[in-house]
Amino acid sequence: TVLGFVGLPYTLATYLIEGGTSKEYLEIKKMMWSEPKMLHTMLEKLAENIGEYANFQIQSGAQVIQVFDSWAGSLSPEDYDVFALPYQKM
């Protein structure tokens, strides 16, 4: 079995905004409340590109795609519903 994988939008946005791994996620949390529109735009663009990349992997022979959203687990249930879940479904 050929396995492909992708990171999902919230996790990738966290790395982009934090500049790497983080224990507190302060920068992305600040952005969630001070610039939510900008964050939603970023998450949407990431979701579109991740979808294209997953399709490329399938066209190249991947039989299964594993998805990771490691940092979405740091969100409250309410924030998860707003900032992670909609972009996991795109």
Side-chain angles (χ1 to χ4, degrees):
T1 301
V2 178
L3 176 67
F5 68 92
V6 294
L8 291 182
Y10 185 78
T11 293
L12 295 180
T14 299
Y15 282 117
L16 288 168
I17 294 164
E18 297 290 335
T21 190
S22 173
K23 292 184 191 262
E24 303 293 326
Y25 312 102
L26 295 177
E27 297 306 316
I28 194 161
K29 288 179 181 178
K30 282 192 248 181
M31 189 175 193
M32 288 167 59
W33 304 118
S34 66
E35 297 287 342
K37 186 175 180 177
M38 183 185 302
L39 180 56
H40 283 292
T41 299
M42 177 185 291
L43 293 166
E44 185 175 340
K45 296 288 184 190
L46 286 168
E48 291 168 0
N49 284 287
I50 291 164
E52 289 178 20
Y53 183 56
N55 284 330
F56 174 76
Q57 291 181 60
I58 292 166
Q59 293 167 0
S60 297
Q63 297 162 311
V64 176
I65 300 289
Q66 185 172 3
V67 297
F68 297 92
D69 211 352
S70 306
W71 304 130
S74 69
L75 295 168
S76 69
E78 295 81 15
D79 290 340
Y80 176 86
D81 288 345
V82 173
F83 294 103
L85 185 60
Y87 303 100
Q88 292 172 352
K89 294 180 175 184
M90 289 183 73

Coordinates of all heavy atoms in Angstrom, one line a residue:
T1 N 0.8 -1.2 0.0 CA 0.0 0.0 0.0 C 0.9 1.2 0.0 O 1.8 1.4 0.8 CB -0.9 0.0 1.2 OG1 -1.7 -1.2 1.2 CG2 -1.8 1.2 1.2
V2 N 0.6 2.2 -0.9 CA 1.3 3.4 -0.9 C 0.5 4.4 -0.1 O -0.7 4.7 -0.4 CB 1.4 3.9 -2.4 CG1 2.1 5.3 -2.4 CG2 2.2 2.9 -3.2
L3 N 1.2 5.0 0.9 CA 0.6 5.9 1.8 C 1.0 7.4 1.5 O 2.2 7.6 1.4 CB 1.0 5.6 3.2 CG 0.5 6.5 4.4 CD1 -1.0 6.4 4.5 CD2 1.2 6.1 5.7
G4 N 0.0 8.3 1.4 CA 0.3 9.7 1.3 C -0.1 10.3 2.6 O -0.7 9.7 3.4
F5 N 0.3 11.6 2.8 CA -0.1 12.2 4.0 C -0.1 13.7 3.8 O 0.6 14.3 2.9 CB 0.8 11.9 5.2 CG 2.2 12.4 5.1 CD1 2.6 13.6 5.6 CD2 3.2 11.6 4.5 CE1 3.9 14.0 5.5 CE2 4.5 12.1 4.4 CZ 4.9 13.3 4.9
V6 N -0.9 14.4 4.6 CA -1.0 15.9 4.6 C -1.2 16.4 6.0 O -1.9 15.7 6.8 CB -2.1 16.4 3.6 CG1 -1.8 16.1 2.2 CG2 -3.5 15.9 4.1
G7 N -0.7 17.5 6.3 CA -1.1 18.3 7.5 C -2.3 19.1 7.1 O -2.4 19.6 6.0
L8 N -3.2 19.3 8.1 CA -4.4 20.0 7.8 C -4.2 21.5 8.1 O -3.2 21.9 8.8 CB -5.6 19.4 8.5 CG -6.0 18.0 8.0 CD1 -7.2 17.5 8.7 CD2 -6.3 18.1 6.5
P9 N -5.1 22.4 7.7 CA -4.9 23.8 7.7 C -4.6 24.4 9.1 O -3.6 25.2 9.2 CB -6.2 24.4 7.2 CG -6.7 23.3 6.2 CD -6.3 22.0 6.9
Y10 N -5.3 24.0 10.1 CA -5.0 24.7 11.4 C -3.5 24.4 11.9 O -2.8 25.2 12.3 CB -6.0 24.3 12.5 CG -5.7 25.0 13.8 CD1 -6.1 26.4 13.9 CD2 -5.0 24.5 14.8 CE1 -5.8 27.1 15.0 CE2 -4.7 25.2 15.9 CZ -5.1 26.5 16.0 OH -4.8 27.3 17.1
T11 N -3.1 23.1 11.7 CA -1.8 22.8 12.1 C -0.7 23.5 11.3 O 0.3 24.0 11.8 CB -1.6 21.2 12.0 OG1 -2.4 20.6 13.1 CG2 -0.1 20.8 12.3
L12 N -0.9 23.6 10.0 CA 0.0 24.3 9.1 C 0.0 25.8 9.4 O 1.1 26.4 9.5 CB -0.3 24.0 7.6 CG -0.1 22.6 7.2 CD1 -0.4 22.5 5.7 CD2 1.3 22.1 7.4
A13 N -1.1 26.3 9.7 CA -1.2 27.8 10.0 C -0.5 28.0 11.4 O 0.2 29.0 11.5 CB -2.7 28.2 10.1
T14 N -0.6 27.1 12.3 CA 0.1 27.2 13.6 C 1.6 27.3 13.3 O 2.3 28.2 13.9 CB -0.3 26.1 14.5 OG1 -1.7 26.1 14.8 CG2 0.5 26.2 15.8
Y15 N 2.1 26.4 12.5 CA 3.6 26.4 12.2 C 4.0 27.7 11.6 O 5.0 28.3 11.9 CB 4.0 25.3 11.4 CG 4.1 24.0 12.1 CD1 3.3 22.9 11.9 CD2 5.1 23.8 13.2 CE1 3.5 21.7 12.5 CE2 5.2 22.6 13.9 CZ 4.4 21.6 13.5 OH 4.5 20.4 14.2
L16 N 3.1 28.2 10.6 CA 3.5 29.4 9.9 C 3.5 30.6 10.8 O 4.4 31.5 10.8 CB 2.4 29.7 8.8 CG 2.6 28.8 7.6 CD1 1.3 28.9 6.7 CD2 3.8 29.1 6.8
I17 N 2.5 30.7 11.7 CA 2.3 31.9 12.5 C 3.3 31.9 13.7 O 3.8 32.9 14.1 CB 0.8 32.0 13.0 CG1 -0.1 32.3 11.7 CG2 0.7 33.1 14.0 CD1 -1.5 32.1 12.0
E18 N 3.4 30.7 14.3 CA 4.3 30.6 15.4 C 5.8 30.5 15.0 O 6.7 30.8 15.8 CB 4.0 29.3 16.3 CG 2.6 29.3 16.9 CD 2.4 30.3 18.0 OE1 3.4 30.7 18.7 OE2 1.3 30.7 18.3
G19 N 6.0 30.2 13.8 CA 7.4 30.1 13.3 C 8.1 28.8 13.7 O 9.3 28.6 13.6
G20 N 7.3 27.8 14.1 CA 7.8 26.5 14.5 C 6.9 25.9 15.6 O 5.7 26.4 15.8
T21 N 7.3 24.9 16.3 CA 6.5 24.3 17.3 C 6.4 25.3 18.5 O 7.2 26.2 18.7 CB 7.1 23.0 17.8 OG1 6.2 22.3 18.6 CG2 8.4 23.1 18.5
S22 N 5.3 25.1 19.3 CA 5.0 26.0 20.4 C 4.4 25.2 21.5 O 3.7 24.2 21.3 CB 4.1 27.1 19.9 OG 3.7 27.9 20.9
K23 N 4.6 25.7 22.7 CA 3.9 25.1 23.9 C 2.7 25.9 24.2 O 1.7 25.3 24.8 CB 4.9 25.1 25.1 CG 6.1 24.1 24.9 CD 6.9 24.1 26.1 CE 8.2 23.4 25.9 NZ 8.2 22.0 26.3
E24 N 2.7 27.2 23.9 CA 1.5 28.0 24.4 C 0.6 28.4 23.2 O -0.5 28.8 23.5 CB 2.1 29.3 25.0 CG 3.0 29.0 26.2 CD 2.2 28.4 27.4 OE1 1.0 28.7 27.6 OE2 2.8 27.6 28.1
Y25 N 1.1 28.4 22.0 CA 0.3 28.8 20.8 C -0.2 30.3 20.9 O -1.3 30.6 20.5 CB -0.8 27.9 20.6 CG -0.4 26.4 20.6 CD1 -0.7 25.7 21.7 CD2 0.2 25.9 19.5 CE1 -0.3 24.3 21.7 CE2 0.6 24.5 19.5 CZ 0.3 23.8 20.7 OH 0.7 22.5 20.7
L26 N 0.6 31.1 21.5 CA 0.2 32.5 21.8 C 0.0 33.3 20.5 O -1.0 34.1 20.5 CB 1.2 33.2 22.7 CG 1.4 32.7 24.1 CD1 2.5 33.4 24.8 CD2 0.1 32.7 24.9
E27 N 0.8 33.2 19.5 CA 0.7 34.0 18.3 C -0.6 33.7 17.6 O -1.3 34.6 17.1 CB 1.9 33.9 17.5 CG 3.2 34.4 18.1 CD 3.0 35.9 18.7 OE1 2.5 36.7 17.9 OE2 3.5 36.1 19.8
I28 N -0.9 32.4 17.4 CA -2.1 32.1 16.6 C -3.3 32.4 17.4 O -4.3 32.8 16.9 CB -2.1 30.6 16.1 CG1 -3.2 30.4 15.1 CG2 -2.2 29.6 17.2 CD1 -3.0 29.2 14.2
K29 N -3.3 32.2 18.7 CA -4.4 32.6 19.5 C -4.7 34.1 19.5 O -5.8 34.5 19.4 CB -4.2 32.1 21.0 CG -4.4 30.6 21.1 CD -4.2 30.1 22.5 CE -4.3 28.6 22.6 NZ -4.1 28.1 23.9
K30 N -3.6 34.9 19.5 CA -3.8 36.3 19.3 C -4.4 36.6 18.0 O -5.3 37.5 17.9 CB -2.4 37.1 19.4 CG -1.9 37.2 20.8 CD -0.7 38.2 20.8 CE 0.6 37.5 21.1 NZ 1.7 38.3 21.1
M31 N -4.0 36.0 16.9 CA -4.5 36.2 15.6 C -6.0 35.8 15.5 O -6.8 36.4 14.8 CB -3.7 35.4 14.6 CG -4.1 35.8 13.1 SD -3.0 35.0 12.0 CE -3.4 35.8 10.5
M32 N -6.4 34.7 16.2 CA -7.8 34.2 16.2 C -8.7 35.4 16.7 O -9.8 35.5 16.2 CB -7.9 33.0 17.1 CG -7.3 31.8 16.6 SD -7.2 30.4 17.8 CE -8.9 30.2 18.3
W33 N -8.2 36.2 17.7 CA -9.1 37.2 18.2 C -8.9 38.6 17.7 O -9.8 39.4 17.6 CB -9.0 37.2 19.7 CG -9.3 35.8 20.2 CD1 -8.5 34.9 20.9 CD2 -10.5 35.0 20.0 NE1 -9.1 33.7 21.1 CE2 -10.3 33.8 20.6 CE3 -11.7 35.3 19.4 CZ2 -11.3 32.8 20.6 CZ3 -12.7 34.3 19.4 CH2 -12.5 33.1 19.9
S34 N -7.6 38.9 17.2 CA -7.4 40.2 16.7 C -7.6 40.3 15.2 O -7.9 41.4 14.7 CB -6.0 40.7 17.1 OG -5.0 39.9 16.4
E35 N -7.3 39.2 14.5 CA -7.4 39.2 13.0 C -8.1 37.9 12.5 O -7.6 37.2 11.7 CB -6.0 39.3 12.4 CG -5.2 40.5 12.7 CD -5.8 41.7 11.9 OE1 -6.5 41.6 11.0 OE2 -5.4 42.9 12.4
P36 N -9.3 37.6 13.0 CA -10.0 36.4 12.6 C -10.2 36.3 11.1 O -10.1 35.2 10.5 CB -11.3 36.4 13.3 CG -11.5 37.8 13.7 CD -10.2 38.4 13.9
K37 N -10.5 37.4 10.4 CA -10.8 37.3 9.0 C -9.5 36.9 8.2 O -9.6 36.1 7.3 CB -11.3 38.7 8.5 CG -11.7 38.7 7.0 CD -12.3 40.0 6.6 CE -12.7 39.9 5.1 NZ -13.3 41.1 4.7
M38 N -8.4 37.5 8.6 CA -7.1 37.1 8.0 C -6.8 35.6 8.2 O -6.3 34.9 7.3 CB -5.9 38.0 8.6 CG -4.6 37.7 7.9 SD -3.2 38.6 8.6 CE -3.8 40.3 8.4
L39 N -7.0 35.1 9.5 CA -6.8 33.7 9.8 C -7.7 32.8 8.9 O -7.2 31.8 8.4 CB -6.9 33.4 11.2 CG -6.7 32.0 11.7 CD1 -5.3 31.5 11.2 CD2 -6.8 31.9 13.2
H40 N -9.0 33.2 8.8 CA -9.9 32.4 8.0 C -9.4 32.4 6.5 O -9.5 31.3 5.9 CB -11.3 32.9 8.1 CG -12.0 32.5 9.4 ND1 -12.3 31.2 9.7 CD2 -12.4 33.2 10.5 CE1 -12.9 31.1 10.9 NE2 -12.9 32.3 11.4
T41 N -9.0 33.5 6.0 CA -8.5 33.5 4.7 C -7.3 32.6 4.5 O -7.2 31.8 3.5 CB -8.1 35.0 4.3 OG1 -9.3 35.8 4.4 CG2 -7.5 35.0 2.9
M42 N -6.4 32.6 5.5 CA -5.2 31.8 5.4 C -5.6 30.3 5.5 O -5.1 29.5 4.7 CB -4.2 32.0 6.6 CG -3.0 31.1 6.6 SD -2.0 31.4 8.1 CE -1.3 33.0 7.7
L43 N -6.5 30.0 6.4 CA -7.0 28.6 6.5 C -7.7 28.1 5.2 O -7.5 26.9 4.8 CB -7.9 28.4 7.7 CG -7.3 28.7 9.1 CD1 -8.4 28.8 10.2 CD2 -6.4 27.5 9.4
E44 N -8.5 29.0 4.6 CA -9.1 28.6 3.4 C -8.1 28.3 2.2 O -8.2 27.3 1.5 CB -10.1 29.7 2.9 CG -10.9 29.3 1.7 CD -12.0 30.3 1.4 OE1 -12.4 31.1 2.2 OE2 -12.4 30.3 0.2
K45 N -7.1 29.2 2.1 CA -6.1 29.0 1.1 C -5.3 27.7 1.4 O -5.0 27.0 0.4 CB -5.1 30.2 1.0 CG -5.8 31.5 0.6 CD -6.1 31.5 -0.8 CE -6.7 32.8 -1.3 NZ -7.2 32.8 -2.6
L46 N -5.0 27.5 2.6 CA -4.2 26.3 2.9 C -5.1 25.0 2.6 O -4.6 24.1 2.0 CB -3.9 26.2 4.4 CG -2.7 27.1 4.8 CD1 -2.6 27.3 6.3 CD2 -1.4 26.6 4.3
A47 N -6.4 25.1 2.9 CA -7.3 23.9 2.6 C -7.3 23.7 1.1 O -7.3 22.5 0.7 CB -8.7 24.2 3.2
E48 N -7.4 24.7 0.3 CA -7.5 24.5 -1.1 C -6.2 23.9 -1.6 O -6.2 22.9 -2.4 CB -7.7 25.9 -1.8 CG -9.1 26.5 -1.6 CD -9.2 27.9 -2.0 OE1 -8.2 28.5 -2.5 OE2 -10.2 28.5 -1.8
N49 N -5.1 24.3 -1.1 CA -3.8 23.8 -1.6 C -3.5 22.4 -1.1 O -3.0 21.5 -1.8 CB -2.6 24.7 -1.2 CG -2.6 25.9 -2.1 OD1 -2.2 25.9 -3.2 ND2 -3.0 27.1 -1.6
I50 N -3.9 22.1 0.1 CA -3.8 20.8 0.7 C -4.6 19.8 -0.1 O -4.2 18.7 -0.4 CB -4.2 20.8 2.2 CG1 -3.1 21.5 3.0 CG2 -4.3 19.3 2.7 CD1 -3.6 21.9 4.4
G51 N -5.8 20.2 -0.5 CA -6.7 19.3 -1.3 C -6.0 19.0 -2.6 O -6.1 17.9 -3.1
E52 N -5.5 20.0 -3.3 CA -4.8 19.8 -4.5 C -3.6 18.9 -4.3 O -3.3 18.0 -5.2 CB -4.3 21.1 -5.1 CG -5.4 22.0 -5.6 CD -4.9 23.3 -6.2 OE1 -3.7 23.5 -6.5 OE2 -5.7 24.3 -6.3
Y53 N -2.8 19.0 -3.3 CA -1.7 18.2 -3.0 C -2.1 16.8 -2.7 O -1.5 15.8 -3.2 CB -0.9 18.8 -1.8 CG 0.4 18.0 -1.5 CD1 1.3 17.8 -2.5 CD2 0.6 17.5 -0.2 CE1 2.5 17.1 -2.2 CE2 1.8 16.8 0.1 CZ 2.7 16.6 -0.9 OH 3.9 15.9 -0.6
A54 N -3.2 16.6 -2.0 CA -3.7 15.2 -1.7 C -4.1 14.6 -3.0 O -3.8 13.4 -3.3 CB -4.9 15.3 -0.7
N55 N -4.8 15.3 -3.9 CA -5.2 14.8 -5.2 C -3.9 14.4 -6.0 O -3.9 13.4 -6.7 CB -6.1 15.7 -6.0 CG -7.5 15.8 -5.4 OD1 -8.0 14.8 -4.9 ND2 -8.1 16.9 -5.5
F56 N -2.9 15.2 -6.0 CA -1.7 14.9 -6.7 C -1.1 13.6 -6.2 O -0.6 12.8 -7.0 CB -0.7 16.1 -6.5 CG 0.7 15.8 -7.1 CD1 0.9 15.8 -8.5 CD2 1.8 15.4 -6.3 CE1 2.2 15.5 -9.0 CE2 3.0 15.1 -6.8 CZ 3.2 15.2 -8.2
Q57 N -1.1 13.4 -4.9 CA -0.5 12.2 -4.3 C -1.3 11.0 -4.8 O -0.8 9.9 -5.1 CB -0.5 12.2 -2.8 CG 0.5 13.2 -2.2 CD 0.5 13.2 -0.7 OE1 0.7 12.2 -0.1 NE2 0.2 14.4 -0.2
I58 N -2.7 11.1 -4.9 CA -3.5 10.0 -5.4 C -3.2 9.7 -6.8 O -3.0 8.6 -7.2 CB -5.0 10.4 -5.1 CG1 -5.3 10.4 -3.6 CG2 -5.9 9.4 -5.9 CD1 -6.6 11.0 -3.3
Q59 N -3.1 10.8 -7.6 CA -2.8 10.6 -9.0 C -1.4 10.0 -9.2 O -1.1 9.3 -10.2 CB -2.8 11.9 -9.8 CG -4.2 12.5 -9.9 CD -4.2 14.0 -10.3 OE1 -3.2 14.6 -10.5 NE2 -5.4 14.6 -10.3
S60 N -0.5 10.2 -8.2 CA 0.8 9.6 -8.3 C 0.9 8.2 -7.7 O 2.0 7.7 -7.6 CB 1.8 10.6 -7.6 OG 1.8 11.8 -8.3
G61 N -0.2 7.7 -7.3 CA -0.2 6.3 -6.8 C -0.5 6.1 -5.3 O -0.6 4.9 -4.9
A62 N -0.7 7.1 -4.6 CA -1.1 6.9 -3.2 C -2.5 6.2 -3.1 O -3.4 6.6 -3.8 CB -1.2 8.2 -2.4
Q63 N -2.6 5.2 -2.3 CA -3.8 4.4 -2.2 C -4.6 4.9 -0.9 O -5.8 4.7 -0.8 CB -3.5 2.9 -2.1 CG -2.9 2.4 -3.4 CD -2.2 1.1 -3.2 OE1 -1.4 0.9 -2.3 NE2 -2.5 0.2 -4.1
V64 N -3.9 5.5 0.0 CA -4.5 5.9 1.3 C -3.8 7.3 1.6 O -2.6 7.5 1.4 CB -4.2 5.0 2.4 CG1 -4.7 5.5 3.7 CG2 -4.7 3.6 2.1
I65 N -4.6 8.2 2.0 CA -4.1 9.5 2.5 C -4.3 9.6 4.0 O -5.5 9.5 4.4 CB -4.7 10.7 1.8 CG1 -4.6 10.6 0.3 CG2 -4.2 12.0 2.4 CD1 -3.2 10.9 -0.2
Q66 N -3.3 9.8 4.8 CA -3.4 10.0 6.2 C -3.3 11.5 6.4 O -2.5 12.2 5.9 CB -2.3 9.3 6.9 CG -2.4 9.4 8.4 CD -1.4 8.5 9.2 OE1 -0.5 7.9 8.5 NE2 -1.5 8.5 10.5
V67 N -4.2 12.0 7.3 CA -4.3 13.4 7.6 C -3.9 13.7 9.0 O -4.2 12.9 9.9 CB -5.7 14.0 7.3 CG1 -6.0 13.9 5.8 CG2 -6.7 13.4 8.1
F68 N -3.2 14.8 9.2 CA -2.7 15.2 10.6 C -3.2 16.6 10.9 O -3.1 17.4 10.0 CB -1.2 15.2 10.6 CG -0.6 13.9 10.4 CD1 -0.2 13.5 9.1 CD2 -0.3 13.0 11.4 CE1 0.4 12.3 8.9 CE2 0.3 11.7 11.2 CZ 0.6 11.4 9.9
D69 N -3.8 16.7 12.0 CA -4.1 18.1 12.5 C -3.7 18.1 14.0 O -4.5 18.3 14.9 CB -5.6 18.4 12.3 CG -5.8 19.9 12.1 OD1 -4.9 20.7 12.2 OD2 -7.0 20.3 11.8
S70 N -2.4 18.0 14.2 CA -1.8 17.8 15.5 C -2.2 18.9 16.5 O -2.5 18.7 17.6 CB -0.3 17.7 15.4 OG 0.0 16.7 14.5
W71 N -2.2 20.2 16.0 CA -2.3 21.3 16.9 C -3.8 21.7 17.1 O -4.1 22.5 18.0 CB -1.5 22.5 16.5 CG -0.1 22.1 16.3 CD1 0.7 22.4 15.3 CD2 0.7 21.4 17.3 NE1 2.0 21.9 15.5 CE2 2.0 21.3 16.7 CE3 0.5 20.9 18.5 CZ2 3.0 20.6 17.4 CZ3 1.5 20.2 19.2 CH2 2.8 20.1 18.6
A72 N -4.7 21.1 16.3 CA -6.1 21.3 16.5 C -6.6 20.9 17.9 O -7.6 21.4 18.5 CB -7.0 20.7 15.4
G73 N -5.9 19.9 18.5 CA -6.2 19.4 19.8 C -6.0 20.4 20.9 O -6.4 20.2 22.0
S74 N -5.3 21.5 20.6 CA -5.0 22.5 21.6 C -6.1 23.5 21.7 O -6.2 24.4 22.5 CB -3.7 23.3 21.2 OG -3.9 24.0 20.1
L75 N -7.1 23.4 20.8 CA -8.2 24.3 20.7 C -9.4 23.9 21.7 O -9.6 22.7 21.9 CB -8.8 24.4 19.3 CG -7.9 25.0 18.3 CD1 -8.5 24.8 16.9 CD2 -7.7 26.5 18.5
S76 N -10.1 24.8 22.2 CA -11.3 24.5 22.9 C -12.3 23.9 21.9 O -12.2 24.2 20.7 CB -11.9 25.8 23.6 OG -12.4 26.6 22.6
P77 N -13.3 23.2 22.4 CA -14.3 22.7 21.4 C -15.0 23.8 20.6 O -15.2 23.6 19.4 CB -15.4 22.0 22.3 CG -14.6 21.6 23.5 CD -13.6 22.7 23.7
E78 N -15.2 24.9 21.2 CA -15.8 26.0 20.4 C -14.9 26.6 19.3 O -15.3 26.8 18.2 CB -16.3 27.2 21.4 CG -17.3 26.8 22.3 CD -16.8 26.0 23.6 OE1 -15.6 26.0 23.8 OE2 -17.7 25.4 24.3
D79 N -13.6 26.8 19.7 CA -12.7 27.3 18.7 C -12.4 26.2 17.6 O -12.2 26.6 16.5 CB -11.4 27.7 19.4 CG -11.5 28.9 20.3 OD1 -12.5 29.7 20.0 OD2 -10.7 29.1 21.2
Y80 N -12.4 25.0 18.0 CA -12.2 23.9 17.1 C -13.3 24.0 16.0 O -13.0 23.8 14.8 CB -12.2 22.5 17.8 CG -12.1 21.4 16.8 CD1 -10.9 20.9 16.4 CD2 -13.3 20.7 16.4 CE1 -10.8 19.8 15.5 CE2 -13.2 19.7 15.5 CZ -11.9 19.2 15.1 OH -11.9 18.1 14.2
D81 N -14.5 24.2 16.4 CA -15.7 24.2 15.5 C -15.6 25.4 14.5 O -16.1 25.3 13.4 CB -17.0 24.3 16.3 CG -17.4 23.0 16.9 OD1 -16.8 21.9 16.6 OD2 -18.3 23.0 17.8
V82 N -14.9 26.5 14.9 CA -14.8 27.7 14.1 C -13.5 27.7 13.2 O -13.5 28.0 12.1 CB -14.8 28.9 15.0 CG1 -14.5 30.2 14.2 CG2 -16.1 29.1 15.7
F83 N -12.4 27.3 13.8 CA -11.1 27.4 13.2 C -10.4 26.2 12.6 O -9.5 26.3 11.8 CB -10.1 28.1 14.1 CG -10.4 29.5 14.5 CD1 -11.0 29.8 15.7 CD2 -10.2 30.5 13.6 CE1 -11.4 31.1 16.0 CE2 -10.6 31.8 13.9 CZ -11.1 32.1 15.1
A84 N -10.9 25.0 12.9 CA -10.3 23.8 12.4 C -11.3 22.9 11.6 O -11.1 22.6 10.4 CB -9.8 22.9 13.5
L85 N -12.5 22.6 12.2 CA -13.4 21.7 11.6 C -13.9 22.1 10.2 O -13.9 21.2 9.2 CB -14.6 21.4 12.5 CG -15.6 20.4 12.0 CD1 -15.0 19.0 11.9 CD2 -16.8 20.3 13.0
P86 N -14.2 23.3 9.9 CA -14.7 23.7 8.6 C -13.7 23.5 7.5 O -14.0 23.1 6.4 CB -15.0 25.2 8.7 CG -15.2 25.5 10.1 CD -14.3 24.5 10.9
Y87 N -12.4 23.6 7.9 CA -11.3 23.5 6.9 C -10.9 22.0 6.7 O -10.2 21.7 5.8 CB -10.2 24.4 7.3 CG -10.7 25.8 7.3 CD1 -11.0 26.4 8.6 CD2 -11.0 26.6 6.2 CE1 -11.5 27.7 8.7 CE2 -11.5 27.9 6.3 CZ -11.8 28.4 7.5 OH -12.3 29.7 7.6
Q88 N -11.2 21.2 7.7 CA -11.0 19.8 7.5 C -11.9 19.2 6.5 O -11.7 18.1 5.9 CB -11.1 19.1 8.9 CG -10.1 19.4 9.9 CD -10.3 18.9 11.2 OE1 -11.4 18.3 11.5 NE2 -9.4 19.0 12.1
K89 N -13.1 19.8 6.3 CA -14.1 19.3 5.5 C -14.0 19.7 4.0 O -14.8 19.3 3.2 CB -15.5 19.7 6.0 CG -15.8 19.0 7.4 CD -17.2 19.5 7.9 CE -17.6 18.8 9.1 NZ -19.0 19.1 9.5
M90 N -13.2 20.7 3.8 CA -13.1 21.3 2.4 C -12.5 20.3 1.4 O -11.7 19.5 1.7 CB -12.3 22.6 2.4 CG -13.0 23.7 3.1 SD -12.1 25.2 3.1 CE -12.3 25.7 1.4

